Amino acid sequence: MTRNDLDVLIAGGGFAGLTLAIALRQGLGSAFSVALADPTLGTSRAQDAPPHDERASAIVAAARRLFETIGIWEKAAAEAQPILDMVVTDSKLGDALRPTFLTFAGDVEPGEPFAHMVENKLLLDALVAKAHEVGVDLRAAAVKDFSRDPTIRANLSDGTAITARLLVAADGARSSIRSAAGIATHGWSYGQSAIVINVAHARDHHGRAEEHFLPAGPFAILPLKGRRSSIVWTETAVAAERIMALPDAAFHAELEQRFKLNLGDIKVIGARRCHPLGFFVARSFVADRIALVGDAAHVIHPIAGQGLNMGLKDVAALAEVIVDAARLGLDPGAADTLERYQRWRRFDTMAMGLATDGLNRLFSNRSDVLRFARDVGLGLVDRLPGLKRLFIREAAGLVGDVPKLLRGETL
Ligand SMILES: Cc1cc2nc3c(=O)[nH]c(=O)nc-3n(C[C@H](O)[C@H](O)[C@H](O)COP(=O)(O)OP(=O)(O)OC[C@H]3O[C@@H](n4cnc5c(N)ncnc54)[C@H](O)[C@@H]3O)c2cc1C
């Protein structure tokens, strides 16, 4: 039976919202009522409703452990491409040779790759299917507005009125819940955009990811299943706009100049997409009976492919905090419960956000002095196996106070 007086209402059915709903349902069972509202659930993503998101994401080892634990990895595994090694270069656009400064072998534990590349749609479909299977109450509607007197009273766009002890904003970077709760953000735009495309190529990539640092920003080649790769190509916003508008042949020439011919002939498959890049962190991850997760709480530069992985860390921490509180009979929306979540996640997020910001500033420029300094630094890291191992475990999400789900433990 559908209930409109809930323990938790989640706004947003992207990666963050769906994962949280499943984890809460699995951790607390049907006695704890959770509903998730998202207007796009009605458009049946499973039937490939346009516009089809052809983006793929690097899912790091900790996030993969979470997906395994909630039971959705099995479906994705056959199509997931492990990243078996990674090469980092630093050169100018016209350079004939791209000297390699850093290489990573891909395992965090023997036989456990540090990350997999997976198409977003595949994972989202698996999450929706699992949410149905475990009985999450999915509503194809937006959370329109809400008040707090003293619990949450929310109105959905389909006219339903809902009360809840906690409202979770998983409604993405332009979160209307965050704004309505009066939570400001601090951050900045990079004046850069990422052109995202998939390409088919004649030769095997052998699971190798490549990050080419060019003066306009990183050009990443990330291996997909088969002879295909996902490209995340950073340019200044002005240059990206010009390149996006090019006819196919001219676009191809620009692409080939950066991709080179190591993998043989290349062909763009699917549509070109362009994302303006910025960095922000919410000034608070919580407010009275509200918690922010995922892009609603933070957006970072995709230079290290960590945005979604950070959102999943929020979800794992919030799910653990709520489950612990509910098992003790405590209120999941109480201030001290939410404060525990905020303490767990906000500092870590700021540290990762600033690290990716620093990386982008260090690499996206034309200074020869900086280029020399960073190349010496990269060369040093490459020669110190202990440091390299620490870097790779950090990037895989396995360092620090890691929530249970990301360690592969059930709640
Ligand atoms: C170019 C690029 C490459 C990237 N690559 C990677 C990568 O390799 N690895 C990685 O970890 N991350 C990557 N990221 C980041 C990652 O894509 C995002 O962090 C992630 O998709 C955010 O998920 P989310 O669930 O928080 O938000 P979203 O995916 O934005 O989901 C928000 C949902 O909320 C819904 N919604 C909005 N308003 C309402 C409302 N009022 N009521 C109800 N529902 C609402 C929307 O319909 C949407 O479904 C990349 C980002 C970019 C731009």
Side-chain angles (χ1 to χ4, degrees), residues 374-398:
R374 70 195 178 222
D375 293 349
V376 170
L378 286 179
L380 267 177
V381 173
D382 205 39
R383 280 166 191 75
L384 295 170
L387 189 59
K388 233 159 73 159
R389 192 172 151 66
L390 182 69
F391 270 9
I392 205 155
R393 287 189 68 79
E394 175 81 46
L398 299 171

Side-chain angles (χ1 to χ4, degrees), residues 108-156:
V108 276
E109 300 290 341
E112 184 178 15
F114 114 91
H116 285 77
M117 283 302 296
V118 195
E119 278 146 307
N120 288 2
K121 180 178 182 300
L122 203 86
L123 280 176
L124 284 168
D125 286 353
L127 283 167
V128 171
K130 179 56 83 178
H132 278 297
E133 184 191 316
V134 300
V136 172
D137 177 2
L138 295 173
R139 314 279 182 102
V143 174
K144 223 172 57 171
D145 51 48
F146 65 90
S147 62
R148 288 168 282 190
D149 54 351
T151 54
I152 296 284
R153 290 175 189 279
N155 294 306
L156 303 191

Side-chain angles (χ1 to χ4, degrees), residues 11-16 37-40 45 55 57-58 141-143 170-172 176 194 196 232 275 294-295 302 305-309:
F15 285 105
D38 188 320
T40 67
R45 297 173 189 162
R55 257 172 46 193
S57 298
V143 174
D171 53 343
S176 61
V196 181
V232 182
H275 302 266
D295 277 17
Q306 291 287 342
L308 162 62
N309 292 299

Side-chain angles (χ1 to χ4, degrees), residues 211-233:
E211 182 106 315
H212 300 291
F213 288 113
L214 298 170
F219 181 88
I221 305 176
L222 303 157
L224 297 174
K225 204 76 180 170
R227 288 180 175 169
R228 295 180 307 140
S229 293
S230 163
I231 310 296
V232 182
W233 168 3

